[in-house]
Amino acid sequence: MLGTLAKWLRILGYDTLYDPAQDDDRLVRIARAENRVLLTRDHQLAERRGVHVLLVADERLEDQIRQVLMDLQLVPDQSFSRCPVCNGALEVADREVVRAQVPAYVAQTHTAFRRCPDCERIYWRGTHWQRMDQNLARFWSPTGLSQPADANEMNST
């Protein structure tokens, strides 16, 4: 129920596990074993003892992100450092190494790339970068948090 939130927390640079196939008991075990905060909209799950749980109040993504940042006192300073799809830590990738994996136009017009070592997706600062950057600005503004200086990847293959 919080898949989009998980994706955006990854974009903000937070190590965020998300697997909708897991049942509540398994989620609690993982959160306990890995000392994670369990984010949920499920009131019954939020009442579980022995695990750090944050009950996400809103349905709107912007409000969810603001709540998580404020309640957990997080400062997003590592944006675009994790794969939004699989959560892997992105690595700088050499343009020549990824040339065959990206569209020809992208290989010709971009010089900075990142690669996810887990799912092998390639990221670059592409056409929808501005839209994502605007979304991130909306998330930070009401919380009074400052925006990160580095927003250097956006599109992927």
Side-chain angles (χ1 to χ4, degrees):
M1 74 178 69
L2 294 174
T4 303
L5 174 61
K7 175 183 136 186
W8 279 95
L9 288 173
R10 291 171 178 168
I11 290 169
L12 288 167
Y14 297 105
D15 179 8
T16 307
L17 296 181
Y18 177 75
D19 185 351
Q22 299 297 327
D23 64 28
D24 290 356
D25 292 334
R26 177 80 174 127
L27 293 174
V28 169
R29 282 194 302 274
I30 292 169
R32 283 181 185 147
E34 298 181 13
N35 197 30
R36 292 181 175 273
V37 177
L38 181 59
L39 305 178
T40 185
R41 297 210 61 233
D42 181 330
H43 290 269
Q44 287 182 324
L45 182 56
E47 293 174 2
R48 297 282 184 106
R49 298 201 185 277
V51 65
H52 187 179
V53 178
L54 176 61
L55 181 63
V56 178
D58 270 288
E59 290 184 23
R60 285 179 8 106
L61 177 63
E62 284 182 44
D63 296 329
Q64 291 175 348
I65 291 174
R66 286 185 195 118
Q67 178 190 356
V68 170
L69 293 178
M70 289 175 61
D71 289 359
L72 299 178
Q73 300 179 342
L74 301 175
V75 178
D77 61 354
Q78 296 294 318
S79 295
F80 308 110
S81 62
R82 300 197 81 80
C83 177
V85 177
C86 78
N87 194 44
L90 298 178
E91 301 172 344
V92 173
D94 183 82
R95 178 183 187 184
E96 294 307 314
V97 172
V98 301
R99 181 177 291 278
Q101 298 172 280
V102 299
Y105 177 78
V106 171
Q108 292 172 347
T109 59
H110 291 78
T111 57
F113 296 90
R114 292 202 178 174
R115 179 184 164 278
C116 176
D118 298 333
C119 70
E120 300 187 11
R121 283 180 173 79
I122 308 299
Y123 294 89
W124 63 93
R125 196 174 191 164
T127 56
H128 68 282
W129 172 82
Q130 286 181 323
R131 184 176 65 245
M132 288 182 73
D133 196 42
Q134 289 168 350
N135 284 335
L136 294 176
R138 281 197 335 263
F139 301 150
W140 288 300
S141 297
T143 64
L145 298 172
S146 61
Q147 294 183 27
D150 182 35
N152 59 9
E153 63 78 22
M154 294 321 261
N155 291 343
S156 75
T157 60

